[in-house]
Amino acid sequence: MSVAIVISQPGGPDVLKAIEIALSEPGPDDVQIQHEVIGVNFVDIYFRSGLYPLPSSPAVPGFEGGGRVIAVGENVRAFTRGDRVAYTGNPMGAYTERRNIPASRLIKIPEGITIRTAGSTMLRGLTAHMLLHKVRNVKAGDWLLVHSAAGGLGQIVTRWATLKGARVIGTTGSVAKMKIAQAAGAAEVLLHTDAAWAESVREIADGRGVHLAIDGIGGPMLAATLGVVRPFGTVASLGQAAGPVPPVRVEELGFARSIALMRPSSMAYADDAELYRQGASDLMAALQNGLENPIGADYSLMEAAKAHADLEAGRTTGSVILTV
């Protein structure tokens, strides 16, 4: 038996309930792992709240974790009992002590990186890789705008972009969080509650605007963000913590602006085998070479509801994890 957190119907954090589930032996191409750390991400909240439909009922949420291999299927050759592994992406089901998962989903954790670090970095790290290498191949000297720069994704994007020689303008919702964004390497940090933030971004970025703007806030923020990107730059909209994103007319992107708008999916990136392997390899190399991903909040598996409530209310910074 394994303790798991399940969702039987959409709702608030209180719909997350702990149950015991029977765990079968891993299938021929699967691996069974014992979790040490499980990542808590906004995508989990979207499924719990009903914004995204549950794949089954009840469903075990979660798309990210790390731990040790405790059993392997008969066709598995790449992993053995005791291996330290991490993963992100489909299938859903991370909020549990132990789980069976396709071997193709697992990444071996290199020496020098802890399970705690790898298991809490895969989803945001792969998302950062997507933004900085696929959405735009960020180069030294580029200007980036990163909204929610003190959050888990904001910090790792800022740190990785800075390692690549780019310059980051971060925004936060409070003065206290400004210091966190600065510590992550942001060259400038602004309050996105300040009515003049967009004008300030354009002025800081050579008076022309940024090359890449990353908006994980959603709601009305995207419309304002479109105005701070220089011609032939890109806006990446990848979250809606503040609510659904209103429709955007094609005319708002050009001709005068000549900018691109993308809605990149972290799950689609993780589910592409080639992109996943390359992104995970680059991420592990970056972690070995100094990329940091601070954990801002640590809860036990049984405190999953509290973790969701705190993340949803903006009471956390950095990565949010459950430990087993």
Side-chain angles (χ1 to χ4, degrees):
M1 302 296 286
S2 175
V3 174
I5 304 297
V6 300
I7 307 169
S8 295
Q9 61 183 20
D14 60 312
V15 303
L16 296 169
K17 303 296 184 183
I19 65 170
E20 285 195 343
I21 58 174
L23 194 62
S24 63
E25 291 298 312
D29 300 309
D30 294 343
V31 170
Q32 188 172 121
I33 64 172
Q34 173 74 48
H35 279 126
E36 291 188 16
V37 62
I38 299 158
V40 179
N41 298 283
F42 263 101
V43 67
D44 306 341
I45 291 172
Y46 298 155
F47 276 98
R48 189 215 72 219
S49 65
L51 180 63
Y52 297 166
L54 294 172
S56 63
S57 183
V60 177
F63 292 95
E64 175 186 48
R68 292 184 183 272
V69 173
I70 56 177
V72 300
E74 60 182 331
N75 296 336
V76 176
R77 300 289 181 268
F79 300 96
T80 60
R81 186 180 177 88
D83 282 346
R84 303 181 317 132
V85 294
Y87 67 90
T88 191
N90 286 302
M92 179 192 285
Y95 286 27
T96 182
E97 293 176 322
R98 289 177 285 121
R99 72 175 298 190
N100 294 326
I101 188 168
S104 60
R105 182 53 54 191
L106 297 178
I107 303 296
K108 283 188 179 179
I109 301 174
E111 292 300 321
I113 302 174
T114 66
I115 293 175
R116 182 180 172 91
T117 295
S120 62
T121 303
M122 285 292 293
L123 181 54
R124 289 183 176 94
L126 205 69
T127 303
H129 187 274
M130 173 185 73
L131 292 167
L132 301 177
H133 297 83
K134 194 69 171 177
V135 171
R136 180 181 177 89
N137 186 17
V138 170
K139 304 182 296 295
D142 281 357
W143 279 105
L144 275 68
L145 169 67
V146 178
H147 286 308
S148 299
L153 178 60
Q155 285 195 54
I156 196 167
V157 168
T158 298
R159 292 174 188 275
W160 204 341
T162 301
L163 287 175
K164 289 169 68 70
R167 298 162 292 179
V168 174
I169 303 168
T171 75
T172 69
S174 70
V175 173
K177 290 184 176 182
M178 292 177 73
K179 296 178 180 178
I180 296 170
Q182 290 167 344
E188 300 281 351
V189 183
L190 307 170
L191 288 171
H192 60 65
T193 53
D194 185 338
W197 73 263
E199 181 181 350
S200 297
V201 169
R202 287 190 294 270
E203 291 176 357
I204 294 167
D206 307 325
R208 300 181 61 201
V210 298
H211 298 87
L212 173 63
I214 300 167
D215 173 26
I217 296 177
M221 182 60 75
L222 180 61
T225 301
L226 294 175
V228 304
V229 180
R230 67 180 60 193
F232 304 103
T234 303
V235 178
S237 169
L238 72 166
Q240 49 193 66
V245 177
V248 176
R249 298 173 63 243
V250 172
E251 290 81 0
E252 294 179 54
L253 307 180
F255 296 103
R257 282 177 171 167
S258 295
I259 62 175
L261 171 62
M262 291 188 69
R263 181 75 171 178
S265 166
S266 303
M267 289 295 107
Y269 201 68
D271 289 343
D272 183 295
E274 183 177 349
L275 292 174
Y276 183 59
R277 289 291 160 183
Q278 186 61 60
S281 176
D282 290 350
L283 173 60
M284 293 300 159
L287 289 170
Q288 288 180 306
N289 292 323
L291 178 65
E292 296 181 358
N293 179 42
I295 293 172
D298 184 341
Y299 305 83
S300 72
L301 178 61
M302 302 298 289
E303 294 177 305
K306 179 172 173 51
H308 272 228
D310 289 348
L311 177 60
E312 202 167 10
R315 291 190 287 266
T316 65
T317 61
S319 290
V320 178
I321 63 170
L322 306 176
T323 53
V324 181

